[in-house]
């Protein structure tokens, strides 16, 4: 196996550990002070994990009927990135909280966990040890869970093979009490962990955010599904397949959520009732005006200056059935875990640029870029596509076979890195 395969797998598994634990104090004990104020007062800014604000909840709730939604703060800041996932539960939040606070049951919904051992319980604290296992890499950690009030749970790691990180769960009941919104906020710094993680952390400013999106999806979606099953719903523990045909691609309908993209990167997943991925949209703001962004996107010859994974780009003659104004090109896209080669077509429709796979590894895959003018200046850029399974290397595919929830996380992870690379061009 090549060294870069080991690096990527190590990063994934350690990010999974970071997604549910912390080796530093990132959240304080329960007090009468509102959680946001308490957290901000107790720790350096770098390690503060804040719950979603009421404005975030109101803006993102309409998206949750499609599937989970994320807001990533400081996506390009490496270890300073903060990821907040929100997803809806069809059962009251108390049931989800019960699953989260019962670590011995985690292997029932996270097959990548080889073992979880509860070591002690005292008042609102639970000490436990877990082991993450995969074909070529294991992660061990000693953890302390703190139930910081009825609607908040924090997890700390007292000893771990990974770098620092943290998580907090927040629970918001629906008005009628029949369901809930579950929030998981995480941050991690594998650049302070083992050598393998330090190397990968240097590869891309948004790599850490992307990996935590993948692992947060596995953890949160699995926990909510477990709670729904315990609540009497007849559902499989995990999807029978990771993805389905995406159908006509389109971002979510316009709404208040678009404004959140000015201060963070917003991600919306559209899942089937069983949990298979249909579409994923990632959106973020840039100071560049729409015409400038569109000019970059409709010029395949310059893609290598945006995405370093593009190789050997060659614009080729259009075919007889190509739409007027479209550009057909051949390229290689090479990442540490995969290599794609074939022909694609860039096609422009107003403020939308389509990337349509035609031959080779790209055949049948498509993405659309929507570039929307922001009334306050600049643009909101949205990238929408399916599961991106064709971009997954064999190791990632094996992990997806073990846990199909990873498919949603992988699709979001890939798209946020792809989008952030584009926006960095504009400063």
């Amino acid at each position: 196996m090549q060294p870069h395969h080991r690096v990527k797998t190590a990063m994934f598994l350690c990010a999974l550990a970071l997604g549910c634990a912390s080796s530093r104090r990132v959240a304080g004990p329960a007090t009468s002070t509102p959680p946001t104020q308490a957290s901000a007062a107790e720790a350096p800014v770098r390690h503060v994990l804040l719950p979603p604000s009421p404005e975030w909840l109101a803006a993102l709730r309409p998206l949750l009927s499609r599937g989970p939604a994320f807001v990533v703060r400081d996506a390009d800041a490496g270890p300073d990135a903060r990821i907040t996932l929100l997803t809806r539960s069809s059962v009251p939040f108390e049931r989800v909280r019960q699953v989260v606070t019962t670590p011995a049951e985690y292997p029932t919904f996270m097959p990548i966990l080889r073992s979880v051992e509860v070591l002690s319980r005292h008042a609102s604290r639970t000490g436990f040890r877990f082991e993450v296992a995969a074909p070529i890499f294991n992660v061990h950690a000693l953890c302390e869970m703190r139930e910081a009030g009825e609607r908040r749970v924090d997890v700390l790691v007292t000893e771990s093979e990974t770098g620092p990180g943290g998580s907090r769960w927040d629970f918001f009941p629906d008005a009628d009490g029949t369901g809930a919104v579950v929030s998981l906020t995480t941050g991690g710094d594998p650049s302070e962990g083992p050598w393998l993680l330090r190397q990968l952390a240097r590869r891309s400013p948004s790599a850490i955010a992307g990996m935590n999106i993948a692992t947060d999806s596995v953890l949160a979606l699995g926990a909510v599904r477990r709670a729904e099953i315990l609540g009497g719903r007849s559902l499989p523990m995990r999807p029978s397949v990771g993805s389905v045909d995406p159908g006509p691609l389109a971002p979510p309908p316009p709404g208040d959520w678009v404004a959140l993209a000015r201060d963070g990167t917003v991600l919306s997943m559209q899942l089937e009732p069983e949990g298979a991925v249909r579409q994923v949209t990632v959106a973020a703001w840039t100071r560049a005006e729409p015409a400038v962004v569109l000019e970059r996107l409709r010029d395949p010859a310059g893609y290598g200056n945006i995405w370093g994974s593009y190789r050997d780009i060659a614009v080729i003659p259009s075919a007889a059935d190509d739409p007027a104004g479209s550009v057909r090109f051949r390229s290689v896209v090479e990442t540490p875990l995969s290599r794609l080669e074939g022909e694609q077509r860039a096609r422009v429709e107003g403020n939308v640029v389509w990337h349509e796979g035609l031959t080779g590894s790209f055949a049948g895959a498509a993405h659309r870029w929507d570039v929307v003018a922001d009334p306050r200046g600049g643009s909101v850029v949205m990238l929408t596509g399916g599961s991106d399974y064709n971009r997954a290397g064999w190791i990632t595919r094996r992990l997806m076979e073990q846990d199909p929830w990873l498919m949603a996380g992988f699709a979001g992870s890939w798209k946020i890195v792809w989008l952030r690379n584009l926006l960095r061009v504009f400063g």
Side-chain angles (χ1 to χ4, degrees), residues 18-286:
L18 291 171
C20 59
S22 166
S23 60
R24 294 188 181 181
R25 182 174 181 174
V26 297
T31 69
S32 59
T33 307
T36 300
Q37 297 177 19
S39 297
E42 291 171 358
V45 171
R46 176 170 176 174
H47 300 288
V48 171
L49 297 179
L50 302 176
S53 68
E55 294 75 20
W56 281 20
L57 283 171
L60 294 174
R61 274 185 187 273
L63 299 183
L64 302 185
S65 61
R66 298 162 42 96
F70 298 71
V71 177
V72 184
R73 290 171 281 202
D74 301 317
D76 296 332
D80 291 331
R82 290 293 174 263
I83 297 92
T84 296
L85 175 156
L86 293 101
T87 189
R88 192 178 186 282
S89 165
S90 62
V91 296
F93 78 86
E94 291 88 354
R95 285 198 176 273
V96 185
R97 185 180 183 278
Q98 179 184 3
V99 170
V100 170
T101 57
T102 312
E105 297 297 315
Y106 284 8
T108 63
F109 61 88
M110 295 179 69
I112 201 168
L113 288 177
R114 174 174 290 173
S115 64
V116 178
E117 179 185 2
V118 175
L119 304 175
S120 64
R121 290 187 183 276
H122 179 72
S124 62
R125 299 174 183 246
T126 301
F128 64 99
R129 176 191 293 117
F130 72 84
E131 179 182 4
V132 175
I136 62 171
F137 196 89
N138 290 353
V139 174
H140 304 81
L142 289 174
C143 309
E144 180 185 318
M145 176 179 292
R146 298 187 298 176
E147 300 176 39
E150 183 184 20
R151 298 182 184 177
R152 174 178 162 190
V153 176
D154 303 322
V155 182
L156 308 173
V157 165
T158 57
E159 183 179 330
S160 173
E161 298 160 346
T162 65
S167 69
R168 65 176 281 167
W169 296 83
D170 293 276
F171 308 99
F172 305 92
D174 282 347
D176 60 5
T178 61
V181 172
V182 178
S183 167
L184 172 62
T185 300
T186 63
D189 187 5
S191 65
E192 295 184 27
W195 180 87
L196 290 175
L197 303 187
R198 296 197 302 271
Q199 304 314 302
L200 187 61
R202 297 189 182 113
R203 298 184 66 91
S204 170
S206 52
I208 293 174
M211 280 296 168
N212 279 333
I213 284 173
T215 54
D216 290 355
S217 299
V218 172
L219 175 60
L221 296 179
V224 169
R225 178 58 58 86
R226 169 73 172 169
E228 291 177 334
I229 292 172
L230 292 175
R233 291 202 63 190
S234 179
L235 292 167
M237 187 61 69
R238 58 189 59 86
S240 57
V241 296
S243 64
V244 295
D245 186 281
L249 296 179
D256 292 342
W257 68 271
V258 177
L260 299 183
R262 194 174 179 95
D263 299 315
T265 303
V266 182
L267 187 153
S268 174
M269 294 181 178
Q270 183 181 8
L271 306 183
E272 291 296 285
E274 192 179 271
V277 180
R278 182 169 290 280
Q279 295 185 24
V280 176
T281 295
V282 179
W285 179 86
T286 174

Side-chain angles (χ1 to χ4, degrees), residues 62-63 66 246-255 257-258 266-270 278-284 349 351-354 367-372 380-386 415:
L63 299 183
R66 298 162 42 96
L249 296 179
W257 68 271
V258 177
V266 182
L267 187 153
S268 174
M269 294 181 178
Q270 183 181 8
R278 182 169 290 280
Q279 295 185 24
V280 176
T281 295
V282 179
E349 289 183 357
N351 69 333
V352 178
V353 176
W354 292 86
H367 295 88
R368 66 177 277 173
W369 297 84
D370 290 70
V371 185
V372 180
V380 174
V381 183
M382 307 177 192
L383 172 59
T384 302
K415 288 180 181 63

